[in-house]
Amino acid sequence: MIRPLLIAATLLAACQPEAPAPHVDPHAAARPITWDQLLDRPRETATARIAFGEGELEFGELWKPHGDGPFPVVVMVHGGCWLSQIPGTILQDYVAADLRDHGVAVWNLEYARIGHESGGWPGTFGDIADGVDHLREVAQDHPLDLDRLVFTGHSAGGHLALWAAARGNLPEDSAAWRDDPLLPETVVTLAGINDLANYRANGPGRCGEPGTVDDLIGPVEGQTPVLMAQVSPAAMGPLAVEQVIVSGELDPIVPPSLGTHYTALAQARGDTVRHVVLREAGHFELIDPTSPAWQEIRAILVEALEK
């Protein structure tokens, strides 16, 4: 009887599914990384580049998964301190390709920045508003499910993604107001600069603040409550959107203390918001698909899309 039992046990063990291999970070020895280290790697290209306006920077790049769809969608806004001198959509190519490979469509937006003719307030904000809303037209030609929609952005792009989700609060006389804005159920900011006043006053200076903030929205003497309620999510009142604020523990550009500050402010005004601090992650690990941090971020995005 012993031999048949051993054979049965062996067969049973062989039929069990193998445990998934643990994620191995191929760049662990070099972390935290810089943006130029990220861009040194080969990049894939988007499915299509689609204009949403007449300006040369008014376009989005669509990353469409294989298959029939319809696919859930992540609207993505790149960072770069709102500055024209720093690369644009290519910063997000890596994570856009990763999401596409996991069955999620990505609409990766370009926009005018400080140093471009129409950059700053209100041009930068208007580009984001128009780019987001143009997704409705994109969905007429591509199998996208806009009922499963999440906004995300990195660093300065996190500010703009959260702003885009908050713009339902804009007054009609605002230069960035748009009728019937496309809004998500959830926004996930990755090292997002969610409170412009706090970043201007307490940022570590790695984005050129306070000067960069002043170049974005105008000199400090003009940063009145009326203006801040149009440009800074922290000042735009309670937001009817779930928020996940993600910080890297080792981030020297947007330290996690800024995420903690914004989260407390947003919770105090009644927002549904949580702060996730990713251990041993710097600034650019949050947009590096090979990093453990991105594995957690992708899970957050997918969970939000499935609600």
Side-chain angles (χ1 to χ4, degrees):
M1 286 292 294
I2 294 177
R3 183 174 178 78
L5 288 173
L6 288 174
I7 293 172
T10 302
L11 290 173
L12 181 62
C15 291
Q16 297 301 312
E18 293 186 10
H23 172 74
V24 177
D25 180 0
H27 304 281
R31 300 209 178 277
I33 62 168
T34 60
W35 63 265
D36 54 337
Q37 288 174 314
L38 180 67
L39 294 181
D40 278 345
R41 304 177 200 165
R43 292 188 302 278
E44 298 182 48
T45 56
T47 306
R49 176 175 287 192
I50 302 169
F52 59 78
E54 296 182 359
E56 63 179 29
L57 296 167
E58 294 176 332
F59 66 84
E61 292 184 335
L62 178 66
W63 297 73
K64 185 171 67 175
H66 296 296
D68 296 331
F71 304 107
V73 185
V74 168
V75 171
M76 188 174 285
V77 187
H78 70 80
C81 300
W82 309 282
L83 294 171
S84 62
Q85 303 97 309
I86 296 178
T89 55
I90 60 173
L91 285 166
Q92 307 286 92
D93 282 354
Y94 304 95
V95 291
D98 181 82
L99 286 170
R100 176 205 60 195
D101 293 345
H102 284 82
V104 177
V106 174
W107 179 232
N108 187 17
L109 290 176
E110 188 53 279
Y111 54 96
R113 290 164 271 153
I114 300 165
H116 295 131
E117 183 177 356
S118 60
W121 170 257
T124 294
F125 298 79
D127 280 355
I128 295 299
D130 293 338
V132 169
D133 291 345
H134 192 74
L135 189 57
R136 289 191 178 107
E137 294 186 37
V138 176
Q140 294 176 11
D141 299 319
H142 299 274
L144 308 179
D145 182 358
L146 299 189
D147 289 329
R148 293 184 290 164
L149 178 66
V150 169
F151 291 1
T152 192
H154 178 243
S155 195
H159 155 251
L160 292 170
L162 185 54
W163 174 87
R167 63 197 173 102
N169 289 352
L170 289 174
E172 290 191 22
D173 62 354
S174 171
W177 181 86
R178 301 292 186 271
D179 184 33
D180 190 25
L182 179 62
L183 304 176
E185 296 292 330
T186 304
V187 59
V188 181
T189 73
L190 311 178
I193 303 172
N194 307 310
D195 184 336
L196 293 183
N198 188 43
Y199 196 66
R200 187 188 188 283
N202 299 306
R206 296 289 293 272
C207 256
E209 68 279 1
T212 313
V213 174
D214 296 346
D215 289 341
L216 178 71
I217 61 174
V220 63
E221 57 269 20
Q223 294 172 23
T224 64
V226 171
L227 174 66
M228 297 306 283
Q230 299 178 63
V231 298
S232 179
M236 294 176 77
L239 311 184
V241 59
E242 182 175 348
Q243 302 162 59
V244 183
I245 310 303
V246 180
S247 300
E249 178 188 29
L250 307 178
D251 191 339
I253 299 173
V254 187
S257 59
L258 298 178
T260 299
H261 171 90
Y262 173 79
T263 300
L265 182 156
Q267 288 175 340
R269 70 187 181 193
D271 285 357
T272 301
V273 57
R274 62 188 174 104
H275 187 205
V276 178
V277 180
L278 300 179
R279 295 185 63 247
E280 299 182 2
H283 193 66
F284 294 97
E285 277 70 23
L286 306 191
I287 53 170
D288 174 4
T290 70
S291 73
W294 175 253
Q295 314 306 309
E296 296 188 49
I297 291 166
R298 188 208 304 127
I300 291 170
L301 292 168
V302 169
E303 179 184 11
L305 289 167
E306 291 175 347
K307 288 184 178 179

